[in-house]
Amino acid sequence: MTATDSALTALAQGWCALSVLHDRIESHIERALQARHGLSVREYSLLDVLSRQHSEPNGHLRMAQVADSVVLSQSATTRLVSRMEDRGLLSRYICATDRRGIYTDVSEAGLALLAQARPTNAAALREALDEAARNPELAPLVAVVENTAPVAP
């Protein structure tokens, strides 16, 4: 095995560990959000992204921006937004200056649900990280995540 081969093997192992950590965290948060608030991780993420836009002068996102923010295809994003709109958590409307554009914004009900779900998300994230930190293969990644997290004001 050459140095390049072992470097690629180490890189692949690191990627695999990162993928495992992500999947474990997302699964743990998903179960908590579903059980307590009837939300998926993607729904929570979308509410969170839109809530940060909500108070801005242009407090909405085009559907393509929504897809990018929740890392879904356009069609999956459309289905997600439709489900959430049916639940009264979001609204969609046509752009006044470009009739081709469709905007998505979070509703007051969506903001209220997000406020209720934020502590659940934070607690589930903490639990998942603590559990992963006990795994020697994942502990270094957990340390990186914890050391790069922005400090709350």
Side-chain angles (χ1 to χ4, degrees):
M1 183 182 292
T2 67
T4 303
D5 291 341
S6 70
L8 289 174
T9 299
L11 184 63
Q13 288 171 338
W15 169 245
C16 184
L18 181 61
S19 180
V20 166
L21 178 62
H22 176 272
D23 289 348
R24 287 184 182 185
I25 290 170
E26 187 170 67
S27 293
H28 191 83
I29 293 171
E30 179 86 26
R31 287 188 302 272
L33 288 172
Q34 280 289 348
R36 294 184 187 106
H37 308 285
L39 282 174
S40 70
V41 168
R42 294 280 189 250
E43 290 168 336
Y44 176 88
S45 296
L46 181 52
L47 289 175
D48 185 54
V49 166
L50 290 172
S51 75
R52 285 186 263 124
Q53 291 290 122
H54 189 70
S55 60
E56 298 297 318
N58 294 315
H60 51 253
L61 293 176
R62 284 183 176 262
M63 289 298 285
Q65 294 170 301
V66 171
D68 288 345
S69 71
V70 293
V71 193
L72 290 173
S73 68
Q74 288 282 353
S75 61
T77 301
T78 298
R79 289 189 302 272
L80 174 66
V81 169
S82 293
R83 283 193 313 269
M84 294 178 74
E85 187 177 35
D86 290 347
R87 291 172 59 190
L89 303 174
L90 305 176
S91 61
R92 283 187 283 190
Y93 53 93
I94 303 292
C95 174
T97 58
D98 179 0
R99 307 286 300 160
R100 297 169 296 170
I102 299 175
Y103 287 127
T104 305
D105 196 6
V106 62
S107 68
E108 292 304 316
L111 290 172
L113 181 57
L114 178 63
Q116 293 169 2
R118 273 198 170 119
T120 301
N121 184 73
L125 174 59
R126 180 74 266 155
E127 290 165 4
L129 286 171
D130 289 347
E131 183 179 315
R134 292 190 288 274
N135 180 323
E137 292 177 4
L138 301 179
L141 295 171
V142 172
V144 169
V145 169
E146 292 176 334
N147 290 327
T148 58
V151 178

